[in-house]
Amino acid sequence: MLNYKDLTVRDLRNELQYYKELYPKLKDDELFVVWCLRALITEDEDQAANSITGGSGDKNIDAVYFDDKARIVFIIQGKFRQEIGKYNEKAADILSFADLSWKITGDREDFNSLLLESTPQISSLLEDVRNRILKRSYSLKLYYFTLGKCSKLIEKEASQILNRLDYDVSIEIKHSKSILLLLSDYIEGVAPPVPDIDIELESGNGIELRGIMQRYDSKTKIESWVFSVNGHSLSKVFEHSGIRLFARNIRGFLGSTIVNRNMEETLKKEPEFFWYYNNGITIICDSAEQISKNGKHILHIGNPQIINGQQTTRTLNKIKNYDPRASVLVKVIRIPRVDNDGDTRFENLVTNIVSATNWQNAITASDLMSNDRKQVELQRELRKLGYYYIRKRQSKKEAKQQIGANKFFVIKKEELAQAVAACDLNPELLRMGKELLFEEDYYNTVFPNTNPLYYLLRYWLLRNASKRAKGYPERGYAKWLVINFTWMNLRKILKNKTMNENYLYVSEINSEELKYLYSALDAVFNASLAFYRSKRGKGAKAVDVSSFFRRKLRKDFDKFWRSSKNAKHRNSFNKKLKTFASTLKYLE
């Protein structure tokens, strides 16, 4: 996990460059606001960009975003400073921004004063904002984003301006350190976060809950709550927050596993015993407070993440009509992130909790790397090129729901790992299982960078070789050796940007030009199996093809390849690869 203290304005600029490529007409300060919206409020980049007001007459309103599902209007002002934490924001600027809430919701005269010298676009937008708040009961949230600093006194004064309003209005100032925390979560894929949730403590249905267990450690400043929750209440929390609630979880929803099916059976046949059979869920958060609302006991949780219990939560939501006596144990842990070593402790503790508690459905080495920074960045970079990268283990249905109607090439991280390992490591490693590639000895070699082109060139060789092996069991065993050998020759012709782009293009569209690469691959497959037959032995001592290609064979195969016995396949390979290189070079 990433420590926010290691981040700089350069890291933020790197992220803004991504949005610059998408929206080249926007200025740096506007791109900063787009990023803030994407990091905190919406997953839809186009919606964030379309929310920008821009230009003169915007009344210091840089963006307006409507969340119709949550019935919230967000008004944004952003200050993109050149350095983090150096510039002190002026009290007048922040208090003037806070005063917008009075002018928008006040009498018509106050509102008309706001419209003076506004552009027609801004005037129409503000009319819409006012109508939603006054007539449609929308909440109003003001966000002031800055890389500068802001004193707690100014924050308090800004909040006091809003306290006297009769409407649901709030203001939050995200500055320096909180922007870095937001950037840290964004880079790790936890964006936008779930702002808050209310979890109702279990009551009724013959259950007597004698309070909530609360634990506070004065040395670590970590605070915890343990209590029981009705299954239907937890299901409603998921319906409100969606899958963002599981962003720090190492897996997606696994679907119909044995464990999940057993949970479903318990909910249908023995719901009153669900609490006893289930391990419960674990939530980490930035804040938590016990409150009373409508006569109910509530734990109000800020920036929550379920890091253990996704399968339980999703199963409770999937099986709709179970007996209301079904309940589950909930543990909530508040971990400080802004003291001297808070974020480092947060990183280590979250990782350890995930490893220690997610054991009902077995954890794999690849699961533990799902939220690694490289994996998150790769997912983002590949998406730019039209690839949907599945970095978390999940059911096919879950993956399809996330992909939606968009047309992406879909790649699992395990496939990418196999492609790199097949090209750059020893072929026999691939016969030892893909999980090995995510263990400490190999992970950084298999994933050395976050350059998508590095991986895609190797990935498409894997795809193309797999096509030529399909339907031929013996070729399937030889595949990793064939890919390794072919890559050592193919990379010599993929030596510039044009050749790389052309290779990806013909692979993506399954172009006619691929027939030359297919023929070259066929030659290596034929040679590898001829090599096998020459080395397998005879009679009862003959080595089976499945066992043969588990051996270290590369040096011996190279020797066989250069021998007179292989002249036919060698000449065919060289001829077809040369022709393939020519077609790529002159591709229009």
Side-chain angles (χ1 to χ4, degrees):
M1 294 180 66
L2 183 64
N3 192 327
Y4 79 93
K5 296 174 187 176
D6 296 330
L7 297 173
T8 67
V9 72
R10 179 180 296 179
D11 294 296
L12 179 58
R13 286 189 177 276
N14 287 340
E15 300 303 330
L16 297 187
Q17 182 58 36
Y18 166 69
Y19 292 97
K20 185 67 175 177
E21 294 172 7
L22 292 177
Y23 313 107
K25 294 183 179 180
L26 296 183
K27 302 174 183 176
D28 283 354
D29 54 347
E30 293 173 322
L31 293 170
F32 174 60
V33 173
V34 172
W35 176 82
C36 290
L37 281 163
R38 172 61 183 84
L40 189 64
I41 297 171
T42 177
E43 292 182 278
D44 193 311
E45 294 162 350
D46 289 337
Q47 286 185 4
N50 292 335
S51 299
I52 298 296
T53 54
S56 59
D58 61 9
K59 296 298 180 179
N60 291 320
I61 299 173
D62 295 324
V64 176
Y65 179 80
F66 298 109
D67 186 336
D68 294 317
K69 182 179 179 180
R71 302 182 70 80
I72 301 173
V73 178
F74 295 92
I75 294 182
I76 313 297
Q77 187 173 157
K79 301 292 183 182
F80 183 60
R81 309 300 183 187
Q82 297 305 308
E83 296 183 57
I84 295 178
K86 183 176 181 180
Y87 185 90
N88 288 303
E89 294 300 326
K90 296 178 181 178
D93 290 343
I94 293 175
L95 298 180
S96 175
F97 182 62
D99 197 48
L100 282 173
S101 59
W102 277 88
K103 293 181 178 179
I104 289 172
T105 61
D107 59 35
R108 190 69 205 186
E109 185 177 347
D110 287 335
F111 182 67
N112 287 340
S113 70
L114 181 62
L115 300 183
L116 290 175
E117 299 181 7
S118 294
T119 63
Q121 177 190 0
I122 294 297
S123 294
S124 175
L125 192 59
L126 290 174
E127 289 280 7
D128 193 4
V129 170
R130 178 179 170 86
N131 178 66
R132 289 173 188 250
I133 296 169
L134 271 58
K135 297 182 179 180
R136 299 170 60 186
S137 300
Y138 273 56
S139 300
L140 173 62
K141 287 184 179 285
L142 303 176
Y143 274 107
Y144 190 100
F145 294 102
T146 176
L147 296 183
K149 294 187 293 186
C150 177
S151 71
K152 290 188 178 296
L153 179 61
I154 295 175
E155 289 187 66
K156 185 177 179 180
E157 289 181 26
S159 295
Q160 288 174 341
I161 289 175
L162 277 60
N163 286 343
R164 302 189 301 274
L165 285 167
D166 294 329
Y167 300 95
D168 184 5
V169 181
S170 62
I171 185 170
E172 190 167 348
I173 302 165
K174 295 284 187 181
H175 57 96
S176 54
K177 191 177 290 185
S178 57
I179 291 291
L180 290 179
L181 279 170
L182 195 62
L183 177 59
S184 173
D185 287 347
Y186 174 84
I187 290 173
E188 291 186 335
V190 191
V194 177
D196 51 47
I197 58 174
D198 285 340
I199 296 187
E200 179 186 347
L201 277 64
E202 184 178 25
S203 62
N205 298 313
I207 303 298
E208 182 180 351
L209 188 64
R210 298 180 178 179
I212 181 172
M213 192 195 94
Q214 185 173 359
R215 180 181 187 272
Y216 178 71
D217 187 332
S218 60
K219 292 183 179 180
T220 64
K221 298 181 181 178
I222 296 174
E223 193 167 13
S224 306
W225 295 260
V226 180
F227 52 97
S228 185
V229 173
N230 180 269
H232 290 293
S233 296
L234 191 59
S235 177
K236 289 178 182 178
V237 168
F238 168 65
E239 288 178 356
H240 172 74
S241 304
I243 61 172
R244 288 189 296 163
L245 197 56
F246 312 107
R248 290 195 184 278
N249 205 293
I250 58 176
R251 294 173 295 213
F253 184 52
L254 300 179
S256 186
T257 64
I258 293 176
V259 173
N260 290 353
R261 289 197 299 272
N262 287 340
M263 281 195 283
E264 292 180 18
E265 283 296 303
T266 301
L267 287 172
K268 293 173 181 177
K269 297 178 179 179
E270 299 179 291
E272 67 274 23
F273 295 118
F274 191 83
W275 193 91
Y276 304 102
Y277 299 161
N278 189 267
N279 287 330
I281 70 170
T282 302
I283 302 174
I284 58 166
C285 64
D286 289 347
S287 63
E289 179 185 10
Q290 296 183 57
I291 61 174
S292 293
K293 183 186 290 186
N294 300 324
K296 299 176 181 179
H297 296 291
I298 303 289
L299 191 67
H300 181 75
I301 306 172
N303 193 15
Q305 279 288 303
I306 294 180
I307 59 172
N308 173 43
Q310 176 173 191
Q311 311 308 315
T312 296
T313 305
R314 302 286 292 273
T315 301
L316 286 167
N317 182 254
K318 177 183 177 183
I319 308 300
K320 299 293 185 182
N321 298 317
Y322 54 85
D323 192 294
R325 289 176 295 173
S327 56
V328 65
L329 186 68
V330 174
K331 181 191 295 182
V332 176
I333 306 173
R334 180 187 63 79
I335 310 171
R337 298 180 65 186
V338 292
D339 58 12
N340 290 334
D341 62 347
D343 208 50
T344 302
R345 183 193 299 122
F346 179 85
E347 301 165 22
N348 295 335
L349 188 56
V350 170
T351 300
N352 292 336
I353 292 172
V354 167
S355 299
T357 59
N358 283 276
W359 59 268
Q360 276 191 302
N361 288 289
I363 297 175
T364 63
S366 58
D367 286 335
L368 292 175
M369 303 311 297
S370 295
N371 290 332
D372 180 69
R373 183 178 181 180
K374 286 180 183 177
Q375 297 299 319
V376 177
E377 289 187 8
L378 265 175
Q379 185 179 47
R380 192 175 296 129
E381 293 300 316
L382 286 166
R383 191 179 183 91
K384 295 179 191 177
L385 301 179
Y387 291 80
Y388 187 86
Y389 184 56
I390 301 178
R391 60 184 172 87
K392 294 186 180 184
R393 183 155 53 108
Q394 56 191 203
S395 68
K396 291 182 179 180
K397 182 179 180 181
E398 174 93 345
K400 288 179 180 178
Q401 287 176 342
Q402 292 181 16
I403 297 169
N406 295 313
K407 293 183 179 180
F408 288 98
F409 293 103
V410 180
I411 307 178
K412 293 182 178 181
K413 70 177 185 296
E414 293 82 2
E415 292 176 309
L416 218 57
Q418 288 177 311
V420 174
C423 291
D424 298 330
L425 301 181
N426 296 321
E428 65 272 9
L429 279 175
L430 278 298
R431 297 296 306 280
M432 298 172 66
K434 58 190 175 185
E435 289 300 323
L436 179 70
L437 306 177
F438 292 89
E439 294 181 359
E440 187 176 356
D441 291 343
Y442 296 104
Y443 180 75
N444 287 324
T445 302
V446 173
F447 291 96
N449 57 57
T450 56
N451 176 11
L453 195 60
Y454 175 88
Y455 299 93
L456 290 177
L457 295 176
R458 291 159 172 81
Y459 168 75
W460 278 110
L461 178 58
L462 170 60
R463 283 281 299 269
N464 291 324
S466 296
K467 288 179 183 178
R468 305 312 293 172
K470 189 175 182 180
Y472 300 92
E474 286 192 335
R475 284 192 174 194
Y477 295 117
K479 182 173 68 173
W480 304 118
L481 177 64
V482 170
I483 292 172
N484 185 268
F485 178 85
T486 306
W487 173 252
M488 296 304 165
N489 291 273
L490 180 63
R491 68 181 183 180
K492 296 174 184 177
I493 69 175
L494 301 177
K495 52 191 175 182
N496 59 51
K497 183 179 179 181
T498 299
M499 293 293 280
N500 289 338
E501 290 177 348
N502 288 348
Y503 172 62
L504 291 185
Y505 174 73
V506 298
S507 295
E508 289 171 353
I509 67 169
N510 195 24
S511 173
E512 176 72 14
E513 287 81 4
L514 278 180
K515 65 183 180 182
Y516 303 112
L517 178 61
Y518 290 157
S519 295
L521 284 165
D522 287 341
V524 185
F525 272 117
N526 291 334
S528 68
L529 293 175
F531 169 64
Y532 158 65
R533 287 188 286 271
S534 71
K535 296 289 184 179
R536 66 183 173 183
K538 297 180 180 179
K541 294 184 179 180
V543 180
D544 182 79
V545 65
S546 65
S547 300
F548 180 80
F549 285 101
R550 290 181 182 272
R551 300 174 175 180
K552 293 182 179 180
L553 301 172
R554 186 55 206 274
K555 288 184 179 179
D556 287 341
F557 179 70
D558 286 348
K559 185 178 179 180
F560 176 83
W561 180 264
R562 294 190 298 269
S563 71
S564 58
K565 296 178 182 180
N566 189 53
K568 177 183 177 182
H569 299 315
R570 184 175 64 248
N571 292 336
S572 175
F573 174 81
N574 291 335
K575 179 181 178 181
K576 296 301 181 181
L577 193 64
K578 183 178 180 180
T579 305
F580 182 59
S582 297
T583 61
L584 291 183
K585 185 176 181 179
Y586 298 107
L587 189 68
E588 294 184 0

